[in-house]
Amino acid sequence: MQKFVRDAGPGDALGHADRAYLCITCSYRNREDSWFKSLFVRKVDPRKDAHSNLLTKNEESNLYKIQFHNVKPECLDSYNKLCEDVLPSIHADKYYPCELVGTWNTWYGEQDQAVHLWRYRGGYPALTEVMNKLRQNKDFTAYRKERGKMLLSRRNQLLLEFSFWNEPVPREGPNIYELRSYQLRPGTMIEWGNYWARAIRYRQHNREAVGGFFSQIGNLYMVHHLWAYKDLQSREDTRNAIWNHDGWEEVVYYTVPLIQHMDSRIMIPTKASPLQ
């Protein structure tokens, strides 16, 4: 267990709070109920339904797309300028039922990487409508062609938002953003949701919670938590302060065994990002 938690953390460079995963797990070793037993303690909704229906805001039908673009290092400035010229116009045009939630460059994590987050109000039909309309947009076609010359690789995921998280809304800066991504063990998504539905209240005090999502297409059983901080020191102070709240250590204790892999990106918003 020690090796799993140590390998899963994003590294010493990001602070003491991540290493607390190891400390809190070790402190529970002598409990009557082992961490292994906790894998079988499930507080799930007894209904027979897809977890996407149990965990989302059923009265809404927002679909999100997250894009990861690995850019040639010498092209990053030109790539950012190209995106600044094109993406805001799509966001502002009511002809397209989509919104640019945020766009960033990775500061710590994968270098020379751009991350874009889009929202489609209306779900899959809205996504299909946007894609069909963009195929007829000559400016967007030219943008894609020019962008392709600057990229090393790209990937995306389609996401839904957890019902208990805030919906991402524009905010003023300057801020840094952390995208924490968790690859969960298959079959544990509802259990994760049960714990985080209670845990999110511990993370609202400094308005750091921006959005929480889980994958529908792409890497499955993937969770993304998006946080905002004034700077790295604010991040460190905020994350360390969580451990003063009763109940947080229990959340960590029961959710760590659900994770196969986790990753952290510290990101800087670009000029075009509604999240600054």
Side-chain angles (χ1 to χ4, degrees), residues 82-137:
L82 182 66
C83 291
E84 290 166 12
D85 291 342
V86 176
L87 300 187
S89 63
I90 298 173
H91 168 78
D93 193 336
K94 300 303 181 183
Y95 180 67
Y96 302 103
C98 65
E99 305 163 34
L100 181 62
V101 177
T103 175
W104 303 267
N105 289 154
T106 299
W107 186 21
Y108 289 104
E110 289 193 55
Q111 297 293 285
D112 304 308
Q113 184 181 75
V115 180
H116 308 293
L117 182 63
W118 294 87
R119 175 167 50 222
Y120 300 86
R121 295 193 184 276
Y124 291 107
L127 172 67
T128 301
E129 179 182 350
V130 170
M131 294 300 101
N132 289 336
K133 288 179 175 178
L134 287 177
R135 290 192 187 101
Q136 309 303 318
N137 185 323

Side-chain angles (χ1 to χ4, degrees), residues 233-245:
Q233 186 59 54
S234 173
R235 173 192 178 277
E236 176 85 350
D237 295 342
T238 299
R239 287 176 54 77
N240 286 338
I242 306 169
W243 294 90
N244 295 324
H245 294 283

Side-chain angles (χ1 to χ4, degrees), residues 157-189:
Q157 291 179 321
L158 294 181
L159 314 170
L160 296 176
E161 59 187 334
F162 286 110
S163 61
F164 46 85
W165 272 76
N166 311 326
E167 180 177 297
V169 295
R171 65 171 68 193
E172 296 181 353
N175 295 293
I176 63 170
Y177 289 81
E178 181 176 18
L179 182 66
R180 296 178 70 87
S181 302
Y182 303 88
Q183 181 66 61
L184 302 187
R185 299 181 184 280
T188 62
M189 184 65 72

Side-chain angles (χ1 to χ4, degrees), residues 5-56:
V5 178
R6 184 168 58 252
D7 290 346
D12 292 341
L14 290 180
H16 300 292
D18 292 302
R19 293 197 296 273
Y21 276 82
L22 174 61
C23 297
I24 195 64
T25 306
C26 292
S27 70
Y28 278 104
R29 274 187 166 182
N30 294 326
R31 282 191 171 193
E32 180 179 354
D33 294 329
S34 69
W35 71 266
F36 183 79
K37 183 178 179 180
S38 74
L39 291 173
F40 304 98
V41 179
R42 297 180 179 272
K43 302 174 183 178
V44 299
D45 193 308
R47 293 178 294 162
K48 299 294 183 181
D49 206 348
H51 67 249
S52 60
N53 294 331
L54 299 175
L55 294 171
T56 57

